[in-house]
């Protein structure tokens, strides 16, 4: 009987643990505040939802991205509208949570004055949110999602449960087939590694990115010596490092995010004297300098940072980088993050759509649908801080550019190497 | 332990009973090493990979992390043995211990390896002493405030307060110190030692020796001292022990002190070995250690140590064979299988013998 008790104890523990990991976000209660006045000349109160991970180890990702949205709203006005932010946080205990993301998305969908959402940051969160935004007909624009299955193929159709042919999710970051190709390009052509050890964090984004890497790396002519995955709460990577020693690959490719533990992995590699083997990762590890608490470079430590490469699934050389960076610094007193400009771009797309559809429409429900339809229309292009952006029939950006970075020991930060446009210059 | 092997005496007339345990341990270790050896180099062509040294490294990895799990598991099992409470706050005690040592070492100004052996030894003793005493006291306070008032309440009630305490501890660190990873100073230098055929890093050797030492000390304390006897008798029958003059309250408090101090030591090891800590490691570490305690036979201190090492070995084996993504599944599958065929765990219950 004792073990029945132990079992019951475990169950209770699990239930309580999941129930108590509740939200730190404060969903807006002012659902009715954005009333449609109808009269000419009166301003209409509308909101942009921001759905990003804002706390804990995710703060280096979410906060600069949300700042990009705030910067755009402060600089661009739409006559007749007073636009504010409904801020949501999908980090639970400092880590992005798909469940929390879905809850936040429902809260945003239930706030009639929210016409557009910027977010989420993580692909598995998007997976949980797309069915919600699709059912509500609320357009969301992700600045950073890269997993292929979110927009393409049957998997994406299954996510758009309610209206399979209605796009309510677009993204300005390109997909992991391209980002994977970018990491493979770095591995094969920049780090000159002909064999790779590929590791993913068993999450939607990480696994997809590693798959994209494998496909492109083989096209380049590289050999994948071994592929493995680590559950995302692992802290002991020493056994992986030992295996690595026997493989002695030219490079390690990591598909995953920093909060899954790659910094620890790199630190343990350095401890066993293996940090001479380069490591390449995607935008999941491109999360700030060594001085940023909890970033990849911060956790891996000085020895681990050496020979590290990363990518970002967006244009680095934006049309006017100095202006954007100066404006950002003036407002937030810090450098923009990897996805600040994409966050800004999402907001620009919304504002442009709102300008185009708003004349004569005052009903919030109609505005929401009109904005959605305008953004999703593949014939429209938008002038953004990233340059001209349009979306294809799946909601994917027409820009297929990946930016490459390498760790720079003098600044202790990522240094831009180059960017590659995979439309103009595909992997052959 | 004694009851478990009594039956086998007659069947093995040649072997003296007291040799069974050491022989079993040696066989298990050799078997584990063989498994590591066979799994190593599975993806690399023969000749390019030194199977022996790979297997050896993995073996040491498993012993190190298994020792850490075992240290935490001991606290679970001791508390369960004496008051039949699954102390879910125990994983958080381990986590807090890692933060105590992090705070101490960073405040003393250490950031990297200490090369002076005397200074290193002094700092290590200080770190372990402070963390173990602080966490031991925290454990006693938790028992006094959250469990003692509920000692005669239905069993689910203290379980809920235990979960409550674990959230309180987690949130104290989350709000008060850091909501993400912090880098803990790795003060032990990291040379590769060559002891005959054995190649081992100093930190691994240190952790293994430390955990074995603490376990031996605990074993001697429980079995050879009068306080240990009081603990055992309280576990077997609290009322009878009280009639015989054992102070129940102080004995239970002592159990919490020792269990929590061991978790505090594991916390220091976390910082020294991994160089990182975080407010959430208590959940994962606690779950693994709890599994270890159940696997070995909850209430049984030897079982908890054995269970901890087994879990370390399973995890490392999974990644040795290239199935790292299945490591957690492998751990819990083993737990299920053991409980199906041996519901009392591998070594059975020892301290608590009430049905």
């Amino acid at each position: 009987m004792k073990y029945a008790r132990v079992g019951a104890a475990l169950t209770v523990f699990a239930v309580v643990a999941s129930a108590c990991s509740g939200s730190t976000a404060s969903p807006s209660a002012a659902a009715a505040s954005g009333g449609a006045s109808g009269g000419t000349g009166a301003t209409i109160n509308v909101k942009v939802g921001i759905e990003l991970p804002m706390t804990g180890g995710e703060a280096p990702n979410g906060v600069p991205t949300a700042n990009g949205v705030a910067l755009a709203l402060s600089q661009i006005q739409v006559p007749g509208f007073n636009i504010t932010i409904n801020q949501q946080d999908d980090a639970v205990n400092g880590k992005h949570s798909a469940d929390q993301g879905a809850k936040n998305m429902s809260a945003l969908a239930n706030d009639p004055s929210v016409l557009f959402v910027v977010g989420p940051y993580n692909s598995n969160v998007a997976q949980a949110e797309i069915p919600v935004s699709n059912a509500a007909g609320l357009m969301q624009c992700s600045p950073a999602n890269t997993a292929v299955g979110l927009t393409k193929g049957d998997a994406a159709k299954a996510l758009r449960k309610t209206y399979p042919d209605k796009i309510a999710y677009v993204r300005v970051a390109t997909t992991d087939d391209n980002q994977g190709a970018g990491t493979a390009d770095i591995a094969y052509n920049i780090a000159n590694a002909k064999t790779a050890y590929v590791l993913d964090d068993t999450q939607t984004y990480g696994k997809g990115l590693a798959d994209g890497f494998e496909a492109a790396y083989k096209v380049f002519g590289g050999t994948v010596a071994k592929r493995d995955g680590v559950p995302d709460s692992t802290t002991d990577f020493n056994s992986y490092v030992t295996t690595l020693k026997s493989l002695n690959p030219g490079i390690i490719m990591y598909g995953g995010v920093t909060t899954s533990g790659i910094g620890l992995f790199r630190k343990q590699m350095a401890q066993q004297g293996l940090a001479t083997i380069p490591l390449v990762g995607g935008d999941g590890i491109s999360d700030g300098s060594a001085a940023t608490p909890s970033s990849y470079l911060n956790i891996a430590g000085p020895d681990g940072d050496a020979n590290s490469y990363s990518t970002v699934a967006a244009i680095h050389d934006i049309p006017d980088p100095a202006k954007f960076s100066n404006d950002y610094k003036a407002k937030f007193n810090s450098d923009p993050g990897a996805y600040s400009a994409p966050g800004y771009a999402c907001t620009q797309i919304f504002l442009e759509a709102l300008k185009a559809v708003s004349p004569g429409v005052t009903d919030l429900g109609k505005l929401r649908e009109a904005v959605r339809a305008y953004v999703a229309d593949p014939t429209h292009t938008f002038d953004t801080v990233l340059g001209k952006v349009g979306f294809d029939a799946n909601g994917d950006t027409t820009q297929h550019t990946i930016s490459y970075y390498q760790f720079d020991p003098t600044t202790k930060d990522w240094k831009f190497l180059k960017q590659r446009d995979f439309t103009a210059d595909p992997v052959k | 332990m004694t009851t478990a092997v009594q039956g086998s005496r007659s069947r093995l007339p040649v072997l003296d009973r007291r040799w069974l345990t050491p022989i079993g341990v040696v066989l298990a270790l050799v078997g584990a090493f063989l498994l590591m050896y066979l799994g190593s180099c599975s993806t690399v062509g023969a000749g390019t990979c030194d199977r022996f040294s790979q297997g050896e490294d993995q073996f040491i990895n498993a012993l190190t992390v298994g020792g850490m799990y075992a240290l935490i598991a001991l606290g679970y099992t001791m508390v369960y043995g004496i008051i039949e409470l699954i102390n879910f706050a125990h994983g958080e005690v381990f986590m807090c211990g890692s933060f105590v040592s992090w705070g101490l070492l960073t405040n003393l100004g250490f950031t990297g390896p200490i090369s002076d052996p005397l200074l290193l030894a002094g700092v290590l003793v200080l770190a372990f002493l402070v963390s173990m005493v602080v966490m031991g006291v925290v454990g006693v306070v938790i028992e006094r405030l959250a469990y003692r008032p509920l000692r005669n309440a239905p069993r689910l009630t203290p379980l809920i307060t235990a979960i409550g305490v674990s959230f309180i501890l987690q949130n104290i660190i989350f709000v008060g110190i850091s909501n993400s990873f912090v880098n803990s100073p790795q003060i032990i230098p990291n040379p590769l030692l060559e002891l005959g055929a054995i190649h081992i890093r100093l930190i691994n050797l240190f952790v293994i020796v430390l955990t074995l030492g603490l376990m031996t000390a605990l074993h001697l304390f429980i079995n050879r001292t009068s306080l240990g006897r009081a603990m055992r008798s309280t576990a077997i029958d609290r009322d009878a022990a009280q009639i015989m003059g054992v102070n129940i309250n102080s004995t239970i408090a002592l159990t919490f002190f020792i269990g929590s101090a061991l978790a505090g030591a594991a916390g220091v090891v976390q910082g020294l070995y991994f160089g990182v800590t975080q407010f959430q490691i208590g959940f994962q570490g606690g779950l693994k250690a709890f599994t270890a305690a159940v696997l070995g036979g909850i209430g049984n201190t030897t079982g908890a140590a054995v269970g901890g090492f087994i879990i370390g070995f399973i995890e490392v084996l999974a990644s040795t064979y290239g199935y790292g993504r299945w490591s957690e599944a492998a751990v819990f599958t083993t737990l299920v299988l053991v409980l199906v065929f041996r519901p009392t765990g591998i070594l059975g219950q020892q301290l608590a013998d009430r049905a």
Side-chain angles (χ1 to χ4, degrees):
Chain A
M1 277 323 285
K2 261 178 199 149
Y3 294 89
R5 262 182 244 132
V6 173
L10 265 180
T11 317
V12 169
F13 187 47
V15 169
V16 173
S18 61
C20 289
S21 58
S23 148
T24 48
S26 47
S28 164
S33 68
S37 54
T40 47
T43 48
I44 305 177
N45 291 317
V46 297
K47 287 182 198 145
V48 176
I50 298 182
E51 209 302 293
L52 294 166
M54 301 295 287
T55 46
E58 305 276 1
N61 301 329
V63 173
T65 313
N67 285 348
V69 178
L71 181 64
L73 288 178
S74 73
Q75 292 182 336
I76 308 164
Q77 267 76 40
V78 180
F81 288 91
N82 173 31
I83 305 170
T84 51
I85 290 172
N86 182 338
Q87 172 78 56
Q88 303 283 335
D89 175 9
D90 63 51
V92 175
N93 284 335
K95 243 180 179 180
H96 61 272
S97 150
D99 291 346
Q100 188 59 42
K103 274 186 224 158
N104 292 347
M105 203 62 210
S106 301
L108 292 169
N110 291 332
D111 178 349
S113 59
V114 171
L115 301 186
F116 189 83
V117 174
V118 180
Y121 195 89
N122 301 87
S123 293
N124 63 334
V125 180
Q127 222 168 8
E129 288 179 1
I130 290 172
V132 183
S133 59
N134 178 259
L138 172 59
M139 177 55 85
Q140 65 178 130
C141 172
S142 170
N145 289 160
T146 50
V148 175
L150 296 176
T151 48
K152 294 180 196 175
D154 292 340
K157 277 239 161 87
L159 286 180
R160 300 195 286 266
K161 261 180 236 155
T162 322
Y163 306 108
D165 299 316
K166 229 166 150 184
I167 300 294
Y169 168 87
V170 295
R171 50 177 159 191
V172 295
T174 188
T175 45
D176 280 334
D177 37 1
N178 292 325
Q179 184 166 216
T183 53
D185 191 14
I186 292 180
Y188 196 82
N189 296 317
I190 295 178
N192 278 318
K194 310 301 175 210
T195 56
Y197 176 84
V198 183
L199 196 69
D200 68 63
D201 67 354
T202 69
Q203 286 195 14
T204 314
Y205 158 77
K207 209 179 155 296
L209 179 64
D211 290 343
F213 171 87
E214 272 202 39
Y217 193 61
K218 283 175 189 157
V219 176
F220 282 121
T223 314
V224 173
K226 190 177 165 115
R227 170 80 187 263
D228 203 357
V230 270
D232 70 352
S233 48
T234 307
T235 48
D236 178 26
F237 294 93
N238 283 298
S239 55
Y240 296 85
V241 177
T242 298
T243 306
L244 201 60
K245 213 183 280 175
S246 75
L247 289 167
N248 197 21
I251 197 163
I252 298 140
M253 190 276 163
Y254 176 69
V257 294
T258 302
T259 45
S260 298
I262 183 61
L264 268 162
F265 178 84
R266 191 65 177 167
K267 193 175 216 162
Q268 288 165 28
M269 276 183 71
Q271 207 170 328
Q272 298 201 28
L274 291 181
T276 46
I277 303 175
L279 180 143
V280 62
D283 50 352
I285 68 167
S286 191
D287 54 0
S289 75
T292 311
S294 328
S295 67
Y296 163 74
L297 293 178
N298 178 267
I299 300 166
D303 296 338
D305 291 347
N307 307 310
S308 293
Y309 298 88
S310 69
T311 56
V312 166
I315 290 179
H316 178 91
D317 274 336
I318 59 177
D320 193 354
K323 179 181 182 313
F324 180 74
S325 153
N326 289 340
D327 288 354
Y328 187 99
K329 262 186 217 161
K331 192 165 165 70
F332 302 107
N333 201 22
S334 62
D335 285 321
Y339 285 104
S340 297
Y344 190 100
C346 275
T347 319
Q348 282 178 304
I349 289 164
F350 162 62
L351 298 173
E352 206 175 314
L354 185 63
K355 255 181 222 164
V357 303
S358 59
V361 189
T362 52
D363 180 71
L364 289 175
K366 281 185 186 147
L367 274 174
R368 186 187 268 194
E369 170 57 21
V371 166
R372 187 206 64 75
Y374 189 90
V375 174
D377 188 338
T379 60
H380 293 144
T381 52
F382 303 87
D383 267 320
T384 72
V385 67
L386 302 175
K388 287 231 182 287
V389 173
F391 299 106
D392 65 17
N394 295 320
D396 279 327
T397 175
T398 48
Q399 290 189 340
H400 298 146
T401 302
I402 302 291
S403 307
Y404 302 172
Y405 298 86
Q406 181 178 14
F407 173 71
D408 180 355
T410 47
T411 59
K412 300 198 182 336
D413 199 355
W414 296 109
K415 186 182 76 187
F416 175 63
L417 292 175
K418 61 176 240 184
Q419 63 186 33
R420 177 165 171 176
D421 182 343
F422 284 89
T423 316
D425 184 14
V427 177
K428 279 187 282 253
Chain B
M1 209 169 22
T2 46
T3 49
V5 283
Q6 246 160 18
S8 52
R9 189 195 288 186
S10 53
R11 270 178 273 134
L12 288 167
V14 193
L15 273 179
D16 193 312
R17 192 166 59 87
R18 65 201 150 104
W19 289 105
L20 278 179
T21 311
I23 289 175
V25 168
V26 169
L27 281 180
L29 288 177
V30 169
F33 178 75
L34 269 179
L35 283 173
M36 300 284 180
Y37 176 80
L38 293 174
S40 298
C41 306
S42 48
T43 51
V44 186
T48 56
C49 170
D50 183 352
R51 270 200 159 171
F52 184 82
S53 85
Q54 278 281 307
E56 184 186 321
D57 280 3
Q58 297 290 30
F59 188 77
I60 290 167
N61 288 336
L63 268 186
T64 316
V65 69
M68 205 176 94
Y69 291 148
L71 278 186
I72 314 172
L74 285 170
Y76 270 109
T77 223
M78 287 171 72
V79 166
Y80 185 87
I82 205 152
I83 54 171
E84 287 190 29
L85 165 74
I86 307 286
N87 181 12
F88 276 119
H90 191 66
E92 312 309 329
V93 173
F94 152 68
M95 180 272 294
C96 291
S98 75
F99 273 92
V100 169
S101 99
W102 164 80
L104 180 78
L105 294 176
T106 44
N107 277 319
L108 288 176
F110 297 109
T111 51
I114 302 174
S115 47
D116 178 5
L118 268 181
L119 179 64
L120 176 64
V123 174
L124 280 177
V125 169
L126 183 71
F128 276 97
L129 215 59
V130 169
S131 182
M132 289 173 77
V133 170
V134 169
M135 292 334 293
V137 170
V138 168
V140 172
V141 170
I142 291 173
E143 193 272 331
R144 182 68 191 82
L145 296 180
Y147 305 147
R148 192 182 298 179
L150 299 168
R151 197 172 290 161
N152 296 315
R155 198 149 290 139
L156 268 179
T157 319
L159 192 75
I160 298 299
T161 57
I163 294 169
V165 170
S166 91
F167 279 113
I168 291 172
L169 292 177
Q170 235 185 60
N171 281 295
I172 288 175
I173 302 291
F174 181 81
V175 176
I177 297 180
S178 163
N179 56 15
S180 189
F181 294 104
V182 298
N183 286 308
S184 196
Q186 293 180 293
I187 58 170
I188 298 181
N190 197 28
L192 189 62
L193 307 176
E194 297 191 20
L195 313 169
I198 303 168
H199 296 68
I200 186 168
R201 292 200 177 268
L202 184 57
I203 177 75
N204 296 75
L205 183 66
F206 173 78
V207 174
I208 293 168
V209 169
L210 177 92
T211 46
L212 292 179
L214 285 174
M215 283 172 207
T216 313
L218 177 71
H219 186 79
L220 294 178
F221 178 82
I222 291 179
N223 290 302
R224 301 278 165 86
T225 65
S226 57
L227 284 173
R229 196 183 321 129
M231 278 168 63
R232 281 181 291 145
S233 56
T234 309
I236 292 166
D237 190 326
R238 200 188 296 162
D239 297 332
Q242 192 155 24
I243 292 167
M244 299 308 288
V246 174
N247 184 335
I248 300 297
N249 281 339
S250 61
T251 305
I252 292 176
L254 178 71
T255 309
F256 270 86
F257 183 87
I258 296 174
S260 304
L262 291 174
V268 184
V269 169
Q270 158 84 27
L272 293 176
Y273 186 44
F274 297 125
V276 164
T277 185
Q278 194 214 5
F279 72 98
Q280 266 185 316
I281 58 165
F283 180 77
Q284 198 65 20
L287 193 64
K288 293 259 173 68
F290 173 62
T291 312
V294 175
L295 193 64
I298 191 146
N300 183 329
T301 47
T302 317
V306 170
F309 284 116
I310 288 177
I311 286 187
F313 272 99
I314 294 171
E315 277 188 0
V316 171
L317 266 180
S319 92
T320 304
Y321 280 84
Y323 296 100
R325 67 177 79 238
W326 296 99
S327 61
E328 281 179 1
V331 167
F332 289 101
T333 308
T334 312
L335 176 71
V336 169
L337 287 178
V338 167
L339 290 188
V340 165
F341 293 106
R342 226 183 128 75
T344 51
I346 292 170
L347 295 188
Q349 284 179 297
Q350 179 191 25
L351 283 177
D353 214 12
R354 292 167 274 180

